[in-house]
Amino acid sequence: MTLLRRHVRPEDWTPAGIDSLEDNAFEVVRSCNHRSVIAGPGSGKTELLAQRASYLLQCGVSPRPQRILALSYKRDAAFNIAKRVSARCHPEQAHRFDSFTIDAFAKSLVDRFGQALPPDWRPTPDYDVVTQSRDSILRDFFRSLSPPASVGTVTDIMALSVKTFEKRWIVSRPLSSRPVANPSPGEWAADQFWQAWLHGDPRSYLTFAMIGRLAAHLVHTNPMVRQAVQLTYSHLFMDEFQDTTQVQYDLVKALFLGSNTLVTAVGDNKQQIMRFAMAMDDPFTAFEADFKAQRTPLQNNYRSSPDLVRIQEVLARAIDTKTIKPSSKTAASVTGSSCEVWDFPSVAAEAAALAAYVASEMKTYALKQRDFCILVRVRAANYMKILAPSFAAVGIQLRNEAETVGEVALQELLGEPVSEMVIDLLRLVSARRAGRFWTDCLDAVCFMRALALDDDDARAKVASGLDKLSTVFAATHPNPPAAHAEAEAIVMTLLDFVGRQHIVASSPDYRQGDWLLKVIDAVTRHLETSCKAAKNWTDALDAYEGEHAVPLMTIHKSKGLEYHTVIFVGLDDDAWFAFRSQTKEEMCGFFVAFTRAKQRVIFSYCAARGNRAAIAPLYTLLGNAGVKTISKKTP
């Protein structure tokens, strides 16, 4: 690989791939201190981090052989940042950018150095990761305990909540502070749980939160591990920081607090919807206090029209009174109101009217199915049963993207590198004319194989291999597969062409546990299903990606996405059953739903589905923002 010989002078650096950055974003990109970036919806958070990586790498501020580490809460966010950096930098520079989920990073530390943990906290090398619900396991575990009199009684143990046991007791404090003198029933039971899962069987069992605590303890007891990580990474990016858990934040502190590694934490406290998954109440304030980080807000909104941004500000101030006034950088492209609440007398009338509306808007504004999104709070399958027939009646397919394929959510699957690679290759090898698919596949395979742009010989071999693959595929699979075995053979052939070792190297998550196997299984299953009614390969691949279907999904699955028009079905107490007990988190969820839209938001209510007394504050906010409720008496 040819090495880059020259760096750009910092004063000569300009953003790559975009026209400009707002002033605060440009300041963060070139900053030389810890930064806490409050970035609202549509502000370009991923782009900001990609531009900062570009600046640090291109200007030599992150000098070779040091690297940049990006930690994200979700797999798709970690992949998107890496993909954006690869598009902004020379491949050799982009290869010094490591993007992980924070759980995957913690696991990699335990996998590499875990046997250096003290014996009491040392898991077996072949430990299992437990991700499924453990309510019944915990109840059985509580029944097996006989606490000493100084701790309490069996009744005290059985009174512990299985729902909060992990957060409140198992991972509530660093392992360096255990065992606790004069423990409470919860503290004693948590210590018993740790020892049972670490040493009770030939193989240890751990949750990701437990792995995070072990990783932090590893750093605490082995300074050389901490030093090695600090020497490796000159800069740390933390994306979606509002969803960071105490366990994850404590690991970051253990690794980087007081070091020369500069931390940039980016997120939006108004979009914190992961409190149920142990997210901290206010991680930004803690980070700013611990790291003496400078808070920097971003003002621009590149997604939503001016009127939607005006309404967003009303909602935002109800969550955070200190939020800054956003500025829309997108022009309105629709006529009439940008946001309304529609009040229906029945679910049948609601379904018919929404389907007719989407059909009309598609025709009026020349929109496609995936320019729309149907959002629901919970129970997506129930809404799908009611809405899908009405949409089908006007010739529009509705697809539930909250459902799972095997063990992978469909929405998550579509963003997986393996899935994207398989579909890109299938688009190429099944096409009569390669067109843009040729360049896309050549670049993607070369990237996965870590080939430099100027490595002409190696790239020529990939090009030749793609030609051969296309010829063989056209002869052996002229039509979409009709059976699972054929779909599986096709997927395996394509992945073997890319090279399993290159696939694993391309995504840190594929190096952890059996996630890669689960994704490959889901790709195979979804390909088989997509081919059943397809007349040709183009139809099958369009069905795989939902090209001609309106997506229906939950709020949590929509985060990070955007659509021309968002239709939220079920603005009622039944869907928002936790509003009174978890008001702030539910308000954040409502804000996330609203901010997916570029041009229009429709809220749908049906009295037959539920009341709206508990969520009256949401209706009051919309009313204060000038959003009208329209009575829809007829379909």
Side-chain angles (χ1 to χ4, degrees), residues 299-310 325-332 598:
Q299 181 178 8
N300 290 351
N301 184 315
Y302 299 97
R303 176 187 300 154
S304 303
S305 68
D307 194 46
L308 286 183
V309 169
R310 177 188 61 79
K325 184 179 180 64
S327 175
S328 172
K329 298 300 178 182
T330 299
K598 301 178 187 177

Side-chain angles (χ1 to χ4, degrees), residues 326-346:
S327 175
S328 172
K329 298 300 178 182
T330 299
S333 63
V334 296
T335 59
S337 175
S338 62
C339 181
E340 292 177 342
V341 178
W342 291 357
D343 194 337
F344 291 98
S346 68

Side-chain angles (χ1 to χ4, degrees), residues 108-186:
S108 71
L109 292 176
V110 173
D111 289 349
R112 292 164 59 195
F113 308 112
Q115 297 311 296
L117 279 162
D120 285 350
W121 299 108
R122 186 182 303 158
T124 59
D126 60 346
Y127 68 87
D128 275 347
V129 178
V130 178
T131 57
Q132 70 271 23
S133 174
R134 303 184 317 284
D135 289 3
S136 61
I137 297 175
L138 285 175
R139 289 191 186 95
D140 290 341
F141 174 74
F142 290 163
R143 293 188 186 99
S144 72
L145 297 178
S146 298
S150 60
V151 169
T153 66
V154 172
T155 301
D156 294 327
I157 300 297
M158 295 305 298
L160 297 172
S161 170
V162 295
K163 298 295 184 184
T164 61
F165 185 64
E166 182 173 30
K167 178 180 181 180
R168 187 175 179 184
W169 302 113
I170 299 176
V171 297
S172 60
R173 63 177 66 206
L175 301 184
S176 57
S177 65
R178 296 177 184 271
V180 178
N182 301 316
S184 67

